[in-house]
Amino acid sequence: MTTELYDLTVPVFTRGLRALSAILDKAVAHAAATGVDANAWLSVRLIDDMNPLIKQVQTACDSPKLCVARLSRVTAPVHDDSETTIADLQNRIADTLAFIGSVPREAIDGQEGRPVVVRFPGGEMTFLGQPYVTGFAVPNFYFHLTMAYGLLRAQGVPLGKRDYMGAPG
Amino acid sequence: MTTELYDLTVPVFTRGLRALSAILDKAVAHAAATGVDANAWLSVRLIDDMNPLIKQVQTACDSPKLCVARLSRVTAPVHDDSETTIADLQNRIADTLAFIGSVPREAIDGQEGRPVVVRFPGGEMTFLGQPYVTGFAVPNFYFHLTMAYGLLRAQGVPLGKRDYMGAPG
C-alpha cells in the first residue's frame, strides 16, 4: 500500500483550512465575550519584523491554493490581499476551500515526478512534485497555520492543540 | 507513481530535526554575540498557560520518535525530559535522529492500514497508519517546530523561513 499525491494535499489542506476558520470563529467569540475588537488582532505579530496575523492567514490560504494549482495546472483564483477584517479572511478561506475542492483527484495523482516551478520575488526554485509537497508546500502551510494559532493564543483566545489539528474530513 | 510511508516520515522528520538543531545553534550564537544567556530562553512562552521553549523542543523530538516507533514496532529510546540546557536539547535531537535513522524502510513501508494506538493521559486514540501520519504525527511535529522557531524569533534570534524549512537530506 502506498499514498496517492491527492491524499497528501487536498484533504490535508482542507482539514487545516477548516481548522483555521474555526480558530478565527473562536477568536471572534472570545473578543465579543471580553469586549474587544477581534479585527484589531489582525495586526499582532511575534516581533516587529515578522508578518502580522492577517498575513499569516493570507499565506496559509495561498500555500494550499498555489500547491494545488501547480500540481494540477488548473488556474487558481487571484486574491489581492485586500482583506481588512476577520470576516474578509473567512471569505478568503472559503474561496480557497472551494478552489482546492474543485480540482479532481485525477489532476493531482501521478504528478509526483513532474517539475514544479515556484517563483519568488528574488528568483525561482524547481522541485519535483512529491518533494515539492512534502518538503515545501506542507511544511509551509503548517508554519502559517501554527503562527495564526499562536498569535491568537497569545491574545488569550481559548485554543488548544485540537483546534489546530482539526477533524478528519 | 505513489509515495511510500517511509518517505512521509523518516526523511521528513530528519530534515525538520536538523533544521531545529541549526535553529538552536543560531540562538546560541546570537546570545553569545549579544551577551545574554541562551539557556534563559528555554523558559520563554507565548502566554502563561502555554508550554515554554524547552517543552516545544522536547515534543518536537517525541513526535517523530513515537511515530516511527509506533509504525515500525521498534522500541524507542526513553527520554525523561531532564534537559536543562540547549546543549542537552541538542543531545536529545541527535539521539532522536539516530533512532529514527536506525529504523529500516521495510519496517515502515506497508503499514498504512495497520491500527496505531496513541495513548494520552486521558485516554487513547486509534488511527490507521496513513491517517496517523498525515493527520496527526506530521502536523503535530510541525506545530512544535514552528513554535520553537517562533519563540526564538520573538527573542530577536535572526531566523528566516529557510531556517524552518531546512535542507533536503
Side-chain angles (χ1 to χ4, degrees), chain B residues 3-18:
Chain B
T3 304
E4 297 279 3
L5 201 58
Y6 185 84
D7 297 307
L8 297 178
T9 53
V10 175
V12 166
F13 297 140
T14 297
R15 177 175 177 163
L17 287 168
R18 286 181 181 155

Side-chain angles (χ1 to χ4, degrees), chain A residues 3 7-8 12 15 142, chain B residues 8 129-139:
Chain A
T3 304
D7 297 306
L8 296 178
V12 166
R15 177 176 177 162
Y142 284 127
Chain B
L8 297 178
Q130 193 273 335
Y132 165 65
V133 168
T134 57
F136 185 86
V138 166

Side-chain angles (χ1 to χ4, degrees), chain B residues 74-143:
Chain B
V74 174
T75 303
V78 175
H79 295 95
D80 60 2
D81 291 350
S82 60
E83 294 86 5
T84 60
T85 66
I86 290 181
D88 293 341
L89 291 175
Q90 291 284 22
N91 287 335
R92 180 151 175 179
I93 294 170
D95 208 38
T96 304
L97 282 166
F99 169 67
I100 68 174
S102 75
V103 173
R105 167 180 286 277
E106 310 83 73
I108 294 181
D109 283 351
Q111 303 299 313
E112 287 88 347
R114 188 170 59 75
V116 171
V117 179
V118 178
R119 292 186 179 78
F120 300 97
E124 62 180 45
M125 292 176 72
T126 302
F127 301 84
L128 297 184
Q130 193 273 335
Y132 165 65
V133 168
T134 57
F136 185 86
V138 166
N140 199 48
F141 174 64
Y142 284 127
F143 180 92

Side-chain angles (χ1 to χ4, degrees), chain A residues 1-4 15 46-47 49-50 112 130 135-136 139-140 142-144 146 149 153-154 161 164-165, chain B residues 1-4 15 46-47 49-50 112 130 135-136 139-140 142-144 146 149 153 161 164-165:
Chain A
M1 193 174 166
T2 54
T3 304
E4 297 280 3
R15 177 176 177 162
L46 287 186
I47 189 168
D49 62 348
M50 210 167 158
E112 287 88 345
Q130 193 273 336
F136 185 86
N140 198 49
Y142 284 127
F143 180 91
H144 296 286
T146 302
Y149 170 99
R153 183 79 169 69
K161 179 74 75 66
Y164 163 80
M165 300 292 273
Chain B
M1 192 173 167
T2 53
T3 304
E4 297 279 3
R15 177 175 177 163
L46 287 185
I47 188 168
D49 63 348
M50 210 168 157
E112 287 88 347
Q130 193 273 335
F136 185 86
N140 199 48
Y142 284 127
F143 180 92
H144 296 287
T146 302
Y149 170 99
R153 183 80 168 71
K161 178 74 76 62
Y164 164 80
M165 300 292 271

Side-chain angles (χ1 to χ4, degrees), chain A residues 30-68:
Chain A
H30 181 69
T34 54
V36 302
D37 176 11
N39 290 321
W41 289 331
L42 293 178
S43 60
V44 297
R45 48 183 102 214
L46 287 186
I47 189 168
D48 285 352
D49 62 348
M50 210 167 158
N51 282 323
L53 176 61
I54 190 167
K55 185 71 178 171
Q56 302 294 346
V57 175
Q58 289 164 336
T59 311
C61 289
D62 273 355
S63 182
K65 179 181 82 171
L66 296 173
C67 174
V68 168

Side-chain angles (χ1 to χ4, degrees), chain A:
Chain A
M1 193 174 166
T2 54
T3 304
E4 297 280 3
L5 200 58
Y6 185 83
D7 297 306
L8 296 178
T9 53
V10 174
V12 166
F13 296 140
T14 297
R15 177 176 177 162
L17 287 167
R18 287 181 180 156
L20 180 58
S21 173
I23 286 168
L24 292 173
D25 279 342
K26 285 201 173 186
V28 169
H30 181 69
T34 54
V36 302
D37 176 11
N39 290 321
W41 289 331
L42 293 178
S43 60
V44 297
R45 48 183 102 214
L46 287 186
I47 189 168
D48 285 352
D49 62 348
M50 210 167 158
N51 282 323
L53 176 61
I54 190 167
K55 185 71 178 171
Q56 302 294 346
V57 175
Q58 289 164 336
T59 311
C61 289
D62 273 355
S63 182
K65 179 181 82 171
L66 296 173
C67 174
V68 168
R70 286 172 183 139
L71 292 173
S72 67
R73 289 174 281 194
V74 174
T75 302
V78 174
H79 295 96
D80 61 2
D81 291 349
S82 61
E83 294 85 5
T84 60
T85 66
I86 290 181
D88 292 341
L89 291 175
Q90 291 285 21
N91 287 335
R92 178 148 175 183
I93 293 170
D95 209 38
T96 304
L97 282 166
F99 169 67
I100 68 173
S102 75
V103 173
R105 167 180 286 277
E106 311 82 74
I108 294 183
D109 283 350
Q111 302 299 315
E112 287 88 345
R114 189 169 59 75
V116 172
V117 178
V118 179
R119 292 187 178 78
F120 300 97
E124 62 180 45
M125 292 176 73
T126 302
F127 301 84
L128 297 184
Q130 193 273 336
Y132 165 65
V133 168
T134 58
F136 185 86
V138 167
N140 198 49
F141 175 65
Y142 284 127
F143 180 91
H144 296 286
L145 178 58
T146 302
M147 283 296 172
Y149 170 99
L151 287 166
L152 287 168
R153 183 79 169 69
Q155 297 304 312
V157 177
L159 298 170
K161 179 74 75 66
R162 284 187 193 188
D163 296 298
Y164 163 80
M165 300 292 273

